[in-house]
Amino acid sequence: MLLRALLPTLLVTAIVLPLAGAARPTIPAPAPAVLTTSPAPLTPAALSSVYEANRKNAAEAARMAAAHGDTHRAAADRALATPSRHLLAFDGRGNGQATEVTGDLAHARHIAVLVPGSDTTLDTYPRFHRAAASLYTALTHRPATSRTPENTPVAVIAWLGYDTPATVSTTVTTTTRADEAAPRLRAFVRRLRAATPATTHLTLLCHSYGSVVCGRAAPRLAVDDIALIGSPGTGADSTAALHTRARVWAARGTADWVAHVPHVRAGFGTGTTVGFGTDPVSTPFGARVFDAAGTDHSGYFTPGSASLANLARITLGETSEVTHA
């Protein structure tokens, strides 16, 4: 049954992926700024220097991409190099990675870290940035019913800290990329925790394949809440199997195609496991299922949507205000 479900994807991948990989040459870019790869604590005093170092790196990456003839990547890099952008990390090589802060990280008491799914690269980064900006707006323009004071500082971090799989690929059906990403996410959260007061409320918002990353990183991860949205599964069969003390939430919109992904998992004797197990919005998984109404796979951060309102409530720790499906 699993093989029948996956066979069309695997066949398309076998044909499309080699062609896609051959069609686009490697884009030159500088190595990441030394200051931002240092394990030194992210103190408030150091943040401005880190932001500036990454903006300069992004500007140089834009220059190199333009010289290489890739105007699309050059434009994406150039946008990240503008003075208004706050980058904790930037790497313009290959598909690219970036970690960007919206808000005042030095004083934030509620922080959301967005973990993206497949096909998120520097070339598609603007849509990821829009999701983070949409959440930040929802957090800072609170309804009258919100229990969080208007002046409470918040921050949203867009964490593109791993090489995401392509939607049409064999890697998107396995935990391989998530297993590679999980230690990086854990390290980032540890560094973030060291830079913030112990009382800071930290939430992971994990979209699509990003929920597989969060599932693999969950054990011993010092976060208060984990929200799985549009998730194909986490690689675990229940919230208990995630081995986390965080509250685990899940949502899927009624128009989300991920509902049709088979929630199974099988090994093939090569060390590779295909599929991600139990559906996170199912009763057996045990997550707190919240309302995402009629959203589609890309619509969880749409302004005015039920899903965005609930993600803002979870980020603010207003758990009793979250509406359930």
Side-chain angles (χ1 to χ4, degrees), residues 29-34 57 90-91 93:
V34 174
N57 192 274
F90 176 84
D91 187 348
R93 299 172 297 181

Side-chain angles (χ1 to χ4, degrees), residues 72-98:
H72 182 72
R73 174 60 68 85
D77 292 341
R78 197 176 298 116
L80 287 167
T82 58
S84 63
R85 309 300 282 268
H86 294 157
L87 302 174
L88 286 175
F90 176 84
D91 187 348
R93 299 172 297 181
N95 286 330
Q97 296 181 11

Side-chain angles (χ1 to χ4, degrees), residues 3-53:
L3 288 176
R4 285 200 303 271
L6 293 178
L7 189 57
T9 298
L10 296 177
L11 287 175
V12 171
T13 297
I15 297 169
V16 175
L17 191 59
L19 295 175
R24 201 162 188 271
T26 301
I27 304 168
V34 174
L35 179 62
T36 65
T37 57
S38 167
L42 281 173
T43 63
L47 281 176
S48 60
S49 297
V50 170
Y51 293 157
E52 179 60 25

Side-chain angles (χ1 to χ4, degrees), residues 260-271:
H260 303 294
V261 172
H263 292 283
V264 292
R265 188 170 63 248
F268 286 88
T270 60

Side-chain angles (χ1 to χ4, degrees), residues 138-144 146-154:
L139 293 172
T140 53
H141 295 75
R142 297 162 201 155
S146 175
R147 293 184 289 103
T148 306
E150 282 288 335
N151 60 352
T152 300
V154 296

Side-chain angles (χ1 to χ4, degrees), residues 2 9 73 76 81 100 131 163 207 220 236 267 283 293 317:
L2 174 63
T9 298
R73 174 60 68 85
E100 183 177 11
D163 190 13
H207 179 242
R220 301 178 302 281
T283 300

Side-chain angles (χ1 to χ4, degrees), residues 146-228:
S146 175
R147 293 184 289 103
T148 306
E150 282 288 335
N151 60 352
T152 300
V154 296
V156 175
I157 301 175
W159 184 81
L160 176 54
Y162 77 109
D163 190 13
T164 67
T167 297
V168 182
S169 69
T170 51
T171 52
V172 82
T173 66
T174 76
T175 62
T176 301
R177 293 287 177 88
D179 290 332
E180 295 169 354
R184 299 178 186 178
L185 181 57
R186 287 195 196 103
F188 176 71
V189 169
R190 282 196 300 270
R191 197 177 184 204
L192 193 58
R193 276 298 189 196
T196 56
T199 56
T200 299
H201 181 262
L202 183 58
T203 302
L204 290 185
L205 306 182
C206 318
H207 179 242
S208 194
Y209 190 87
S211 65
V212 188
V213 175
C214 291
R216 306 306 265 187
R220 301 178 302 281
L221 199 62
V223 297
D224 300 286
D225 290 274
I226 299 173
L228 312 169

